[in-house]
Amino acid sequence: MGRKLMNGNQAAALAVKYSRVQVVCAYPITPQTSLVENIAQMWAGGEFPGEYVSVESEYSALSYLIGASYSGARTFTATSCQGLAYMHELLHWAAGARLPIVLVNVNRALGAPWSLEPDQLDSLSQRDTGWIQFYCADVQEIMDTLIFSFRLVEQTRIPCMVVYDGFVLSHTYEVVEPPLQEQVDHFLLSPPSRAAFHTDKPQTIQAVTDSRYLSRVLQERHLSMLKIPGIVKELDHKFQEIFARSYPLAEGTNLETADTVIVAAGSLAQTVKSFLNTVEDRKEKLGLLRLRLFRPLPKDEIASLLSGDNIKKIVVIDRNVSAGVGGIFAQELRALLQGIPYRGKIFEFNLAGGIDLTPAMMEKVLQAISEDPGSEGKIIWGVDLQ
Amino acid sequence: MINTLVGDFSREEFMLSGHNACSGCGPAIAMRFIMKVAASGAVVVIPASCWSIISGVVPLRSLKTVVLHCPFPAAAATGGGIKKGLEAVGDSRTQVIVLAGDGGTFDIGLQGISGAAERNEDIIFICYDNEAYMNTGTQKSSATPYGSYSATTPAPKVKSDPKKDIMEIVAAHRVPYAATATIAFPGDLSQKIQRALETKGFRFIHILTPCPEGWGSPADITVKLSRLAVLTRLFPLYEIKNGAEYKLNFLPEDYLPVNEYLKPQKRFASLDKLQIEHIQESVENHWKELCCKTGTRK
Ligand SMILES: Cc1ncc(C[n+]2csc(CCOP(=O)(O)OP(=O)(O)O)c2C)c(N)n1
Ligand SMILES: [Mg+2]
């Protein structure tokens, strides 16, 4: 297999082609545009045999895929920030209707004010819509997670959002190993070839319900969601057999020895990892917990990764803020740690607005939490450290 | 001109009794006719509207066909997606019929309709127009006519703007087929559904469907009101092919004054003589335009 240089959006477009998607429907928005343009190019050149439909809005794009998915087709869309927010009503609908749709969201800050920065609030504020969410850390992972997702959604009938940072991953070139078509075909189910309903079999889909029935539906969705971490693990074994690459639900680095663990998602975790590798001779022993599967949050996995007595401090890096509460990853982690014996401190380091993480900034944060233990409970703002 | 009264209808019922419509519901009558012509081999897409209730609350259902519900503004795009999805999995036969209210067509659904019309999506979009948001209790829509009260245009601040001309909006997209119809002319309605079924691409049918509850009209004159709407020329019956070829389907022998139509409806109760004259005048103007486009002389 030839290794290739490509950016996140190109990798995503290729994954869509390899996954034999039947209907792609999208609306352009920076920094997602080159992804859909790439698919359109392949479509125009006959390389992508599925349908590519340009519609008038993100609202219509997801409505269109809900329709195509009702019919049984394999579907894909991609968006970012305002576009994802505009899809909100349909995100709930797709999850409620148990439609196996795969969506890429390229993280970008939501206005106002206008910004192109890779803030994560766009996807995080959709966390309760009932979609699976993966946060990718590099370009290879974008391609692999997307291919993986088409299998996952068709097996579980829960839609999946694959998330990565705008520009930092969408437009940055890395060396990746594209799969062979046979490998992808082997991993995925064969593309649907029959309609999901028949006109000679009358049925009503998603009609009005009473509270008792609805409560069962919601309970069922919740229970199905709880099974996702286990299913992802199983499918990952299969993925590894075929592609010789494997992805954890959540990734730990140096957690057996660390006294201070930095928690991050997406490309921020890569930045932290290189920080761990380059900085020697320091008084803290540093570790990293990378959040990858965020919905559902793999509770047992994370609890066990953080269960060592060696861990005294956790620093959660959030590139988002829920105004009046704080970083969303920090919030989620605090809730999760309620259930386990971790008694250390949790610090919040916030890069909302898309602030870039630098080694110098990382040093300042570590210094701040060691000099001022009282900074637990306060937010350390990246913008104050620049 | 047309077989205006009786149509050639199947005896089979696709709309079952015991449904949730109010008595005298125009949209229910319209659906019964539509289904008789189109139900076999078609799926029906319904956005939020009275029809999302009439079609049945789980575990009941009133339509003997496949019904797919979708969010309020999403009907046209969902319909287009269903058709595209069916084709993608090898079914190019099944017809997709979207049935939306005036709110889901003139207002919140307009973006999607414009997009679907521009792409010439292969669907039949039927708007049943009861001239307000009836499912939520008679709030005004942009299909509510001048002079009508509604829960959000209560007297004396009744609606002061004219009804939006949805047919012209759709025709401006140069779609293959667009038509108006009413339940008072079932033969005409049935022919139009049939013509739509035989045409490919985006097809649009605008059906006026009185709502006794919202219009403040007796439940037993729903069909009569539909007829009066045509005879007063408030709601002419016509077709537009490819956005340009207009055809008038029914020319009343005598033009009835608009008040014949307005009088039995409480929603117009606050209208004074001048306002009624204003409505008559706008009917004459619209009619003149339509005669010009259809080449009608009378
Ligand atoms: C986004 C959104 N806004 C508002 C509503 C509430 N709503 C449901 S049906 C409806 C009115 C529908 O009016 P129309 O399309 O004319 O159909 P009708 O009820 O008259 O049959 C409204 C406002 C909704 N379901 N979704
Ligand atoms: Mg209405």
Side-chain angles (χ1 to χ4, degrees), chain B residues 97-112:
Chain B
I97 299 178
V98 178
L99 188 96
D102 47 294
T105 304
F106 289 60
D107 290 338
I108 206 165
L110 190 61
Q111 175 192 99

Side-chain angles (χ1 to χ4, degrees), chain A residues 9-265:
Chain A
N9 283 347
Q10 290 170 327
L14 267 184
V16 168
K17 185 189 101 164
Y18 284 125
S19 302
R20 299 192 189 276
V21 174
Q22 291 161 315
V23 183
V24 174
C25 186
Y27 191 83
I29 182 166
T30 304
Q32 157 265 37
T33 36
S34 62
L35 196 182
V36 295
E37 285 169 3
N38 265 291
I39 299 175
Q41 279 286 335
M42 293 190 289
W43 172 66
E47 256 181 277
F48 172 65
E51 280 292 342
Y52 179 85
V53 185
S54 295
V55 289
E56 62 283 354
S57 71
E58 289 87 354
Y59 190 96
S60 289
L62 193 48
S63 301
Y64 204 88
L65 292 193
I66 285 171
S69 194
Y70 268 156
S71 294
R74 185 174 289 170
T75 60
F76 173 80
T77 189
T79 188
S80 176
C81 63
Q82 315 294 127
L84 189 67
Y86 199 19
M87 285 178 176
H88 180 74
E89 175 177 20
L90 292 320
L91 291 172
H92 280 285
W93 193 276
R98 302 295 296 255
L99 297 174
I101 299 171
V102 174
L103 178 154
V104 155
N105 182 68
V106 189
N107 278 139
R108 172 184 154 189
L110 280 161
W114 284 119
S115 167
L116 297 169
E117 300 291 341
D119 185 285
Q120 303 157 317
L121 190 61
D122 55 352
S123 52
L124 288 173
S125 59
Q126 304 296 348
R127 65 185 159 167
D128 300 332
T129 53
W131 285 57
I132 298 164
Q133 286 196 2
F134 285 108
Y135 287 76
C136 300
D138 61 41
V139 174
Q140 182 77 58
E141 187 179 336
I142 291 171
M143 181 180 273
D144 290 345
T145 307
L146 255 180
I147 293 168
F148 186 92
S149 296
F150 286 103
R151 170 73 200 240
L152 180 63
V153 296
E154 284 170 16
Q155 186 165 326
T156 62
R157 300 202 64 87
I158 300 177
C160 180
M161 198 179 290
V162 176
V163 183
Y164 52 90
D165 305 85
F167 300 108
V168 183
L169 286 177
S170 64
H171 288 65
T172 303
Y173 286 74
E174 291 180 358
V175 174
V176 301
E177 202 172 295
L180 297 172
Q181 184 65 58
E182 305 89 85
Q183 290 176 304
V184 180
D185 288 344
H186 186 40
F187 180 72
L188 294 182
L189 304 171
S190 43
S193 59
R194 258 185 311 148
F197 46 76
H198 295 280
T199 52
D200 49 3
K201 285 212 190 86
Q203 59 171 313
T204 310
I205 296 169
Q206 310 310 329
V208 181
T209 55
D210 65 10
S211 61
R212 242 168 44 129
Y213 181 86
L214 178 61
S215 201
R216 279 273 174 253
V217 168
L218 295 172
Q219 181 187 45
E220 175 67 27
R221 257 166 82 187
H222 173 67
L223 296 175
S224 305
M225 205 51 157
L226 288 181
K227 291 188 194 136
I228 292 294
I231 296 172
V232 170
K233 262 199 209 164
E234 262 170 45
L235 283 179
D236 186 66
H237 288 311
K238 189 174 160 69
F239 190 90
Q240 189 175 13
E241 276 169 25
I242 298 172
F243 298 95
R245 283 186 297 277
S246 165
Y247 295 92
L249 302 174
E251 181 187 352
T253 308
N254 302 344
L255 294 184
E256 308 74 23
T257 53
D259 53 42
T260 303
V261 174
I262 298 163
V263 179

Side-chain angles (χ1 to χ4, degrees), chain A residues 89, chain B residues 48-51 72-73 100-105 108 128 130 132-136 139:
Chain A
E89 175 177 20
Chain B
S49 60
C50 285
W51 252 103
F72 191 22
D102 47 294
T105 304
I108 206 165
Y128 71 92
N130 51 19
Y133 304 155
M134 296 311 186
N135 185 39
T136 39
Q139 298 85 16

